[in-house]
Each structure stands twice: as structure tokens, then as C-alpha cells.
Amino acid sequence: MNVSLLQVHNEFATIALVVSFSYLSLIWLLSECGYFLRRFGKQHRPCARPGEDVHQALKLTGRLWDHYRTAALLFLVSFALLANFGRSGWWVSLSLPANIFISCAIAGVVIFFGFKCVQLLRYRTRLGRLLDQHNAVAGQLVEAQLRGNRVFHSVRLGERVLDNVVVGCNGVYTVQVFLPPPGAESVGLATGSLRYQPGGRDVPLQPYTDAVRALRHALAAEISSTLVVLPVVVIPDCRIEPTDRQAPMLVSPQTCMSFVGWQQKSAYLMDEDMTAISAWLAGKSQVNPPGRIRDAIYSLDRQVAWPGLIGN
């Protein structure tokens, strides 16, 4: 093996990696500065769209994917330019084992970066599927609006987001979309979780039920009265196993309007209560300015798991 040629390649590949990582570091620094500047600026916040957090996650991960592609291009261009026009021999001469170790380290970094890119693309694919389901559910909820109900999308309660909140004379409903894991064929309710089959994989419902509880308390304080909120879970592309439990209600996108016929006298609302609740929800159903990626994906973690290899 030609040790000098291997060392030259190591020199050029190291410089190309430094160029790529310098670019990613600069982008990260600029994004952090922009995040803090936006926090102190005045923001116009229009009403949220269906799946607003998914839109934001797709937007931010799209930028990250563009940066990854640019970094990879910078690496290839830098290495090609150095291989053709670079000056070699400025490193201290190393032994063959040392050069092999450096080559393996460089290859490991490149492979690791490739895995990050693949994970990011898979994550964005699942986000796209989730957004399609949000739009499908929003289309179904148009029927609820035609029946006199008021629908609010992406209602933010602290760090959690309720996908849809429906307010009608017969009560308040929250409609949350959960994307099943790959390979799931059926789903049922277990203690505090969704249980997918085959495999018996459990997905905790506590973040959703905590958000529903927070909504109930906030709305009860708004109208100075007790309030009943029915949680509805929409699960696409999965057979719903029958259950005796009434809450949360498990439905498919095609049957997500089942809650309209729900009858519970303690849940009925007066017209003035509906007006007060709708005004409060309108203030919570607004677009938040884009922040860090971890802020956009935190509320989606139970719906689309964030890949482990990709940093926050």
C-alpha cells in the first residue's frame, strides 16, 4: 500500500470535513441568533392551520435537510479541488497503522452523517403522512361546522398542542391524530396507552390526557362552571378494537364524526358559555413563530418519534 498516497487523501479529506462542519456550525450559530432575535420582536400570529405543528416541523426539518445537502456538497467539492490543485506534504509523516486509523475515522464520520440523512428523510416522510391525515380529519370536521359547531385547530396549552378542539351545544371535544407505527394492523385501549398489534407495542396517552385535563380546567375557569371534555383519538390505517371504555373514543378518519351524536346532559353548553369558550380558544389557536427544531417536534414525539441520531 502506498503510504504517502493514503496520507495525502487523509489530509484532503480532513480539510474537506473541516469545511463542511464549519458551514454547519455557522448555520447553527445564525439560527440560534435568529431564534433569540425573534423572541424579542413583534410577531403577527394568524389563525393556525390543521396540523400547524406538523407544518412547522416539516419547515424546520426541510431547512436542516438543505443544510445537510449543502454540507455534503461542500465536502465533495473541497475534496475534489484539493485532490486536483491542493498542496500535499504539510502533515508530519505518519506510519501506515496511523494512516489507516485516520482513514477509518473519516469513513466512520461520513457513514454516520449518511445515517443521519437517511433518518431525517424517513422522519420527514412520516411527517408528510401525518399531515395528510390532519388534512383528512379537517375535511371531515367541516361537517361538524355545518351542524353549528365551532372548530379550532392546533390549540396550544403550554408545551403541548391539541390538534382540534370542537365546541358545540352538546359539549367540547378534542380530536387528536395518532399515526400508527409501521406494521401495525389493529389498535385498542390499554391502561393509559394505545396498544398496537401485532407486537403489543404501547404508546402512552398521558401527554394527551394531561393536555385535555389542562384544557378542561382552563375552560372551566373561563366560564366559572364545571365542564366536560370528551377526548377523541383518530388512528388511520388501523382496525379499531372494540372497547367498553367511553373515553378516550377511538375512531378512524372516516368515522371521526361519531362524537357529534354524543349525548351527556352535564356536557351541554349555554350560548354565552360557547361564546366565551370560543373567544378563549381563538387566542390559543394561533401560529407560533418558528423556533428550534426541538420546540417544533416536542409535541409530536408521541405521534412521530424523533430519530435518535439527529441532534436537537
Side-chain angles (χ1 to χ4, degrees):
M1 180 181 292
N2 192 330
V3 178
S4 61
L5 182 60
L6 180 60
Q7 179 160 331
V8 168
H9 286 165
N10 286 341
E11 294 174 6
F12 294 161
T14 301
I15 296 173
L17 281 178
V18 170
V19 171
S20 298
F21 282 108
S22 298
Y23 165 77
L24 291 176
S25 300
L26 178 61
I27 290 298
W28 175 83
L29 180 62
L30 291 175
S31 65
E32 289 294 306
C33 292
Y35 169 75
F36 284 108
L37 289 176
R38 284 193 298 270
R39 290 185 62 184
F40 297 104
K42 188 176 181 180
Q43 298 287 337
H44 172 63
R45 298 187 178 184
C47 292
R49 300 164 289 182
E52 184 61 45
D53 272 23
V54 185
H55 281 285
Q56 295 294 341
L58 279 170
K59 180 179 179 180
L60 294 175
T61 54
R63 291 177 183 172
L64 182 61
W65 170 240
D66 289 340
H67 298 328
Y68 280 1
R69 287 191 304 175
T70 303
L73 181 62
L74 283 174
F75 173 81
L76 294 175
V77 171
S78 299
F79 185 83
L81 289 174
L82 289 168
N84 286 279
F85 306 106
R87 181 175 64 86
S88 61
W90 52 275
W91 267 15
V92 177
S93 296
L94 300 174
S95 63
L96 178 59
N99 276 294
I100 292 176
F101 174 79
I102 294 174
S103 298
C104 292
I106 293 172
V109 171
V110 172
I111 293 172
F112 177 76
F113 182 76
F115 274 118
K116 286 169 67 77
C117 291
V118 170
Q119 281 199 344
L120 181 60
L121 286 177
R122 289 179 175 175
Y123 179 72
R124 284 177 52 78
T125 300
R126 286 181 61 78
L127 282 179
R129 286 184 54 205
L130 180 60
L131 183 58
D132 290 340
Q133 297 302 328
H134 275 290
N135 292 332
V137 170
Q140 293 288 334
L141 292 179
V142 171
E143 181 181 345
Q145 292 176 302
L146 295 176
R147 297 187 184 186
N149 298 279
R150 301 172 186 177
V151 179
F152 300 89
H153 304 293
S154 302
V155 176
R156 182 170 294 277
L157 296 166
E159 295 180 330
R160 292 292 175 184
V161 175
L162 292 171
D163 294 338
N164 307 278
V165 179
V166 183
V167 181
C169 60
N170 63 332
V172 178
Y173 320 94
T174 60
V175 183
Q176 198 82 353
V177 181
F178 280 78
L179 198 65
E185 298 177 0
S186 65
V187 61
L189 280 175
T191 304
S193 64
L194 297 172
R195 177 162 296 171
Y196 293 97
Q197 299 293 348
R201 177 179 175 181
D202 288 352
V203 174
L205 283 171
Q206 183 176 354
Y208 174 45
T209 55
D210 288 347
V212 173
R213 189 178 301 111
L215 175 68
R216 183 174 68 248
H217 292 162
L219 294 181
E222 188 70 20
I223 64 175
S224 301
S225 176
T226 57
L227 189 72
V228 176
V229 178
L230 175 66
V232 180
V233 175
V234 181
I235 305 175
D237 305 324
C238 242
R239 185 178 68 257
I240 308 297
E241 297 291 348
T243 179
D244 295 332
R245 303 182 187 181
Q246 294 184 348
M249 180 187 293
L250 299 187
V251 297
S252 67
Q254 294 74 25
T255 61
C256 69
M257 289 298 297
S258 304
F259 66 84
V260 174
W262 184 51
Q263 301 291 334
Q264 186 172 337
K265 291 184 178 180
S266 60
Y268 288 171
L269 297 174
M270 304 294 290
D271 289 343
E272 56 269 23
D273 292 338
M274 287 181 57
T275 301
I277 289 174
S278 298
W280 187 88
L281 289 172
K284 297 294 183 180
S285 177
Q286 294 179 341
V287 177
N288 283 331
R292 299 184 179 94
I293 289 181
R294 61 175 171 266
D295 299 329
I297 67 174
Y298 178 75
S299 60
L300 301 174
D301 186 50
R302 298 301 180 187
Q303 296 168 298
V304 181
W306 179 243
L309 287 182
I310 304 175
N312 292 330

